[in-house]
Every structure is written in C-alpha cells, then in structure tokens.
Amino acid sequence: MGWPKKGLPRELRRVRDLIAHGLASTAEPWPAIRTAFGWLHQAAHILNNSSERDVRRLRRAYRRLLATMRQGAQSVGPLESAVRHFLKVTNSYWPGLFVCYTRPEIPRTNNVLEHLFGSVRYHERRASGRKVAAPMFLVRGSVRLITATCPQHTFTSTELQPKNLTEWRALRQELNQRQATRALQRRFRHDPAAYLAKLEADLLK
C-alpha cells in the first residue's frame, strides 16, 4: 500500500529532514572519522589475535599500524590530537601490552568483566545517591565487589571460613589500613589546622 498523493506523513517528513540535516552536518568530517575508526578497528582486530599469531608477528603487525597512524595523523584533521593521544598512551603501555600472549595465566582484556565492574558502580551510586562511586567502595572494593555480584547465593558457614588464614589476616590488615588512611584524609579536609597541629604535637613528643 502506497502513501497518499499528498506525500509522507508529517512525522516521517520530520525524520527525513533530521537525517538529511545530520548527514549534511557531518559530511565534511566524515572521511576523517572513517579513517580514524578504521585504524581503531584494525588495532582491536590485531590485539584480539583470533588467528593466534605468535607474539613476534603480532608485535610487528601492531608496529606497522602505529607507523601508519603516525604518518597519517595530520590527514584526519580535527581528530589528529586524538590519534596522537592514542599513540602516546600505547607507547606508555607497550612494555606490558603483549605479555598476555606469552603467559597464559594473564588474561586478555575481558569486556564482560569490565561490564560487571561498571554495573556494580552503577548500583552503588543509585543506592547511595552519589554521582560517583561511594568512598567505602573504593576502600573495600576488593571484597564488596564479590558480595555485590553474588546476592542470590546462600553461603554455608564452611564456605565462609577462610581457606588460608594467613592470607585472610593480610587482607584484613590491608583493608583496615586503607580505612585508617581514608579517616585521616577526612579529618584533614574537615579541619586542616587542627589536623596539622596534632601532627606537630605528636612530632614534638
């Protein structure tokens, strides 16, 4: 069934006009966006290493891509600074970038795990009413993450017992130290003069 002779409905004409406006507005930067996106897509494909190339060939392929990006950075116009930032960050990560391909015990980038972290942070913000992650989550994140991701599981007393008492005590000590450091930071922010005066008095003792 075709549209009436008067043409498209008003709503569809508006959608058509919005699409046309968007295409016209991005026509000039689009070639640069397509080139830069192609580089990033190629970088992700190389590092994914689905063909299981050995690390030497993998490193050479990535170096060739980085050289291409370095030589063509000026050709992407307004995205040049982003490309150069990518090159700078990659250079800082380089010493450890390919370790996961030579040591099986080190996992590669795990997007599912990243999503899990993000989901926990999101629910922490909603529960606390904060715009950022709750400070307690930053202090005790290593244990709060586990408790937040398995709310449906009922643990037995045996499962809750530490498997290694030495490691459990070390973890407790680390968490307590973080909490103490956080408390000192809070006291300083609340009253810097009183905090520094107490430090000076303790030092004189």
Side-chain angles (χ1 to χ4, degrees), residues 11-24:
E11 294 80 2
L12 289 180
R13 289 201 304 270
R14 175 169 172 76
V15 172
R16 180 195 60 190
D17 294 342
L18 289 173
I19 294 175
H21 176 72
L23 292 174

Side-chain angles (χ1 to χ4, degrees), residues 22 73 92 100 107 125 160-161 185 205:
S92 67
C100 61
R125 290 196 300 268
L160 291 174
Q161 290 177 358
Q185 293 172 347
K205 291 180 181 179

Side-chain angles (χ1 to χ4, degrees), residues 100-141:
C100 61
Y101 303 102
T102 58
R103 297 178 57 181
E105 70 274 16
I106 299 180
R108 301 182 187 178
T109 299
N110 189 331
N111 291 330
V112 176
L113 189 60
E114 291 291 335
H115 175 73
L116 173 65
F117 292 156
S119 177
V120 172
R121 288 195 299 267
Y122 169 77
H123 289 294
E124 282 280 343
R125 290 196 300 268
R126 290 203 64 182
S128 63
R130 296 173 179 268
K131 294 183 178 180
V132 296
M136 185 57 66
F137 185 71
L138 300 177
V139 174
R140 299 181 176 271

